[in-house]
């Protein structure tokens, strides 16, 4: 029997895992060489000591509960816990244990194994940590993708992505709105469906550059809607790359710039009109200065020359007549120059406000044109900011000029109304609806009035009737 026990002890010492034999109270009766190597304790130190002396203090209670369940219910002991190494550090082990009973079934002790799993535990914890980090990064990336998807879906610009074969893989709501194709119609198709025939070589060249990794920013061109309409667009196209930098596709952000282009055309037209207005005004002033002021100055010069060269030879009565005539001519020149200056920039508008300036304008217009002007102004009209007052003054000035140029109306009516946060001004005539060009082909003056009002948030409407025309301007009051 002793030889068998000795053989078993030698076999235990050859085992690659730790083997422990305890008595019924859990005291070490034998530990093999691997257990001693693993824990740093010698057999002489271990024999007779209780197992709790080598277990980490924080794990003793858990091991004791599992040990109790084995004794009470026969549940096999299997648990991971920490040993305290002889040098003071903690090592993780995986231990399994079983009861040892004699032929009569009496408990003689326990046999247990212990395998060090410190490195396995470290690797497992590292894997768990990496897995948790990866899950967190995946969640973050999914959240980012969801946000990006929401941005793409809500974008006012068309966002279209293609694979390396040029096949469409994404088509947002703005692309549906701009081009008229729904996403289901365009998936798997190419962007040539929205490319005009004469722009296809251009589009292919751009795609080739982007697939090579180049980025194209704010490229203005034309694209084709489903209904055949050519659309002015601004495109930014960039390559889609994977983590290693390899281009996997392309994406384009396409902005509808039809309104911008239309505004640019209107601005160019208005600039041209403004230049023509300026030239026309210069010619008008030149004509008036030449036909009236210059002639008056010439007459004044003749009178003064006679007085200067022949004053001694003239009778007293003749000299007095020439002087009076010269004074009258000088006064007329002064009035004419003041009128021109007032028309160019009325100081009365700044000094006294809109009602006074409109009265002066109406009186001067009636005297020059012979057209009766009826002025209807609120009795207690307050002051507005200078820009709005000047805008309304110019609207009335241009409207009266149109009445004089384009109609045979004997009269005009100016009506100014203020209601809550809006002021309305109307200029009516009795010229049979010919006071201004029609709405489809607005003239230079009409375009200038409309643009001037738009700059301060106002609007202009023109109503042509058989009995005359009505120019109505509306302007918000801040």
């Amino acid at each position: 029997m002793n030889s068998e026990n000795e053989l078993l002890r030698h076999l235990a010492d050859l085992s690659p895992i730790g083997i422990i034999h305890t008595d019924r109270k859990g005291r070490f009766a034998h530990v093999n060489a691997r257990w001693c190597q693993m824990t740093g304790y010698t057999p002489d130190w271990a024999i007779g000591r209780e197992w709790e002396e080598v277990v980490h203090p924080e794990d003793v209670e858990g091991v004791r509960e599992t040990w109790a369940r084995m004794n009470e219910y026969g549940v096999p002991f299997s648990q991971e816990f920490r040993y305290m190494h002889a040098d003071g550090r903690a090592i993780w082990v995986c231990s399994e244990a079983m009861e040892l009973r004699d032929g009569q079934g009496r408990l003689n002790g326990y046999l247990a194994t212990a395998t060090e799993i410190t490195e396995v535990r470290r690797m497992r914890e590292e894997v768990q940590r990496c897995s948790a980090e990866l899950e967190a990064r995946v969640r973050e990336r999914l959240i980012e993708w969801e946000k990006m998807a929401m941005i793409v879906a809500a974008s006012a610009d068309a966002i279209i992505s293609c694979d390396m074969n040029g096949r469409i893989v994404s088509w947002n709501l703005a692309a549906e709105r701009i081009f008229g194709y729904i996403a289901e119609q365009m998936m798997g198709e190419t962007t040539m469906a929205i490319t005009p025939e004469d722009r296809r070589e251009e589009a292919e060249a751009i795609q080739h550059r982007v697939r090579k990794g180049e980025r194209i920013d704010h490229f203005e061109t034309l694209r084709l809607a489903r209904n055949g309409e050519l659309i002015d667009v601004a495109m930014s196209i960039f390559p889609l790359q994977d983590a290693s930098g390899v281009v996997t596709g392309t994406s384009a952000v396409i902005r509808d710039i039809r309104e911008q282009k239309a505004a640019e055309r209107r601005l160019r037209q208005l600039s041209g009109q403004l230049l023509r207005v300026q030239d026309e005004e210069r010619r008008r002033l030149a004509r008036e200065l030449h036909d009236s002021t210059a002639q008056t100055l010439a007459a004044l010069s003749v009178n003064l020359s006679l007085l200067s060269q022949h004053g001694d030879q003239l009778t007293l009565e003749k000299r007095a007549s020439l002087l009076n005539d010269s004074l009258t001519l000088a006064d007329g020149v002064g009035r004419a120059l003041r009128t021109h200056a007032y028309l160019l920039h009325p100081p009365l508008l700044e000094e006294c406000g809109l009602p006074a300036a409109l009265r002066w304008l109406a009186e001067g217009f009636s005297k020059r044109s012979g057209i009766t002007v009826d002025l209807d102004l609120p009795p207690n009209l307050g002051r507005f900011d200078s820009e709005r007052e000047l805008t309304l003054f110019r609207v009335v000035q241009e409207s009266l000029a149109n009445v004089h140029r384009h109609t045979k109306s004997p009269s005009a009516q100016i009506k100014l109304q203020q209601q809550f946060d809006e002021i309305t001004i109307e200029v009516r005539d009795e010229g049979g609806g010919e006071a201004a060009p029609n709405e489809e082909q607005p003239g230079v003056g009409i375009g200038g009035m409309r643009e001037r009002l738009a700059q301060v948030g106002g609007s202009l409407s023109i109503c042509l009737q058989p009995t005359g025309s009505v120019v109505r301007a509306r302007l918000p009051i801040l």
Side-chain angles (χ1 to χ4, degrees):
M1 187 68 179
N2 287 335
S3 61
E4 289 181 3
N5 289 339
E6 192 67 23
L7 177 61
L8 291 174
R9 291 176 185 275
H10 285 306
L11 289 173
D13 287 337
L14 293 175
S15 173
I17 62 175
I19 297 177
I20 310 105
H21 176 211
T22 70
D23 60 17
R24 286 178 296 177
K25 294 184 178 181
R27 293 177 297 217
F28 292 116
H30 174 76
V31 290
N32 72 340
R34 174 58 187 143
W35 188 89
C36 293
Q37 179 186 8
M38 181 173 59
T39 62
Y41 300 111
T42 63
D44 291 340
W45 180 91
I47 301 303
R49 294 180 181 272
E50 294 187 359
W51 60 266
E52 294 181 0
E53 295 185 50
V54 297
V55 175
H56 193 285
E58 295 178 1
D59 296 342
V60 167
E61 188 63 31
V63 174
R64 186 182 291 126
E65 290 177 0
T66 307
W67 191 275
R69 285 198 298 272
M70 179 182 67
N71 289 329
E72 186 173 355
Y73 303 109
V75 178
F77 181 96
S78 180
Q79 189 169 352
E80 293 182 4
F81 57 90
R82 288 168 292 178
Y83 272 159
M84 291 302 300
H85 194 275
D87 61 11
R89 60 189 172 89
I91 61 172
W92 279 94
V93 297
C94 178
S95 179
E96 296 184 355
M98 61 178 293
E99 296 176 341
L100 292 177
R101 295 183 181 274
D102 60 16
Q104 283 74 38
R106 290 173 297 188
L107 180 65
N108 285 336
Y110 302 92
L111 183 65
T113 61
T115 304
E116 184 178 0
I117 59 169
T118 302
E119 186 63 20
V120 173
R121 287 277 304 199
R122 187 193 68 77
M123 293 176 65
R124 184 192 301 165
E125 290 173 357
E126 182 67 16
V127 168
Q128 290 174 346
R129 184 188 66 79
C130 290
S131 177
E133 289 183 357
L134 181 60
E135 288 180 1
R137 290 173 63 183
V138 168
R139 284 195 299 270
E140 290 176 0
R141 183 59 59 86
L142 287 174
I143 292 173
E144 289 178 2
W145 285 349
E146 288 175 356
K147 289 181 179 178
M148 288 300 297
M150 292 174 64
I151 292 172
V152 169
S155 173
D157 296 333
I159 301 178
I160 304 169
S161 297
C162 300
D163 60 21
M164 287 299 286
N165 295 319
R167 301 294 175 181
I168 295 172
V169 296
S170 71
W171 180 274
N172 72 340
L173 292 175
E176 294 184 357
R177 175 179 53 79
I178 293 171
F179 296 109
Y181 295 99
I182 63 173
E184 288 77 6
Q185 292 174 303
M186 297 305 294
M187 289 300 177
E189 300 295 330
T190 71
T191 55
M192 291 303 161
I194 59 171
T195 306
E197 190 70 32
D198 60 349
R199 302 283 176 142
R200 294 197 171 186
E201 289 186 9
E202 171 190 89
E204 290 172 354
I206 290 174
Q207 286 289 348
H208 179 70
R209 289 166 58 188
V210 175
R211 287 175 193 147
K212 290 171 61 178
E214 188 176 346
R215 181 186 177 104
I216 308 294
D217 288 315
H218 309 300
F219 175 71
E220 293 189 5
T221 185
L222 292 172
R223 286 297 178 262
L224 188 65
R226 185 180 182 184
N227 62 5
E229 179 185 0
L230 287 175
I231 302 173
D232 288 296
V233 298
M235 303 175 63
S236 292
I237 312 169
F238 52 90
L240 300 175
Q241 299 174 324
D242 61 17
S244 61
V246 176
V247 177
T248 59
T250 63
S251 187
V253 179
I254 304 175
R255 176 163 295 177
D256 183 350
I257 58 172
R258 282 176 290 187
E259 292 186 2
Q260 175 187 327
K261 287 295 184 181
E264 290 175 358
R265 288 191 290 271
R266 288 195 299 271
L267 181 59
R268 286 194 296 270
Q269 292 171 356
L270 190 60
S271 297
Q273 291 172 353
L274 180 60
L275 291 174
R276 291 194 294 274
V277 168
Q278 290 174 340
D279 289 339
E280 181 181 338
E281 189 65 16
R282 289 189 183 102
R283 287 193 296 270
R284 185 187 66 78
L285 284 173
R287 279 196 309 271
E288 291 189 4
L289 289 173
H290 178 272
D291 295 344
S292 60
T293 308
Q295 298 298 326
T296 304
L297 286 173
L300 178 61
S301 178
V302 170
N303 287 351
L304 294 176
S305 295
L306 287 173
L307 287 171
S308 175
Q309 296 174 10
H310 307 290
D312 295 339
Q313 302 172 11
L314 298 175
T315 64
L316 183 61
E317 184 179 355
K318 183 63 175 179
R319 287 201 301 270
S321 175
L322 287 173
L323 283 173
N324 288 332
D325 189 37
S326 297
L327 288 172
T328 301
L329 291 172
D331 183 62
V333 169
R335 287 197 304 273
L337 290 176
R338 283 194 297 274
T339 299
H340 292 317
Y342 273 53
L343 288 174
L344 290 173
H345 185 75
L348 194 63
L349 185 64
E350 295 179 358
E351 296 169 5
C352 301
L354 185 61
L358 290 178
R359 290 189 188 96
W360 171 84
L361 177 64
E363 289 173 4
F365 176 79
S366 293
K367 288 179 181 179
R368 292 189 301 274
S369 66
I371 298 174
T372 303
V373 179
D374 179 25
L375 196 60
D376 183 1
L377 301 176
N380 298 315
L381 186 67
R383 294 297 301 267
F384 312 111
D385 64 89
S386 58
E387 187 176 10
R388 279 171 164 71
E389 288 188 338
L390 182 58
T391 297
L392 292 171
F393 180 85
R394 292 302 187 201
V395 167
V396 174
Q397 185 181 29
E398 181 63 30
S399 298
L400 290 177
N402 283 339
V403 171
H404 180 59
R405 293 190 196 108
H406 302 290
T407 76
K408 297 179 181 179
S409 176
S411 65
Q413 297 84 41
I414 301 171
K415 184 176 183 179
L416 186 65
Q417 290 181 306
Q418 182 178 352
Q419 295 179 339
F420 303 107
D421 58 351
E422 183 181 73
I423 188 166
T424 303
I425 195 161
E426 294 181 353
V427 179
R428 295 175 177 268
D429 66 76
E430 300 174 0
E434 298 178 354
N438 59 41
E439 288 289 328
E440 288 73 18
Q441 296 180 337
V444 173
I446 298 298
M449 284 193 290
R450 182 170 285 114
E451 188 66 25
R452 184 185 285 272
L453 283 163
Q455 290 178 357
V456 289
S459 62
L460 182 76
S461 63
I462 300 173
C463 179
L464 302 179
Q465 301 172 346
T467 57
S469 62
V470 180
V471 176
R472 181 179 294 109
R474 297 181 183 276
L475 195 63
I477 302 172
L478 299 181

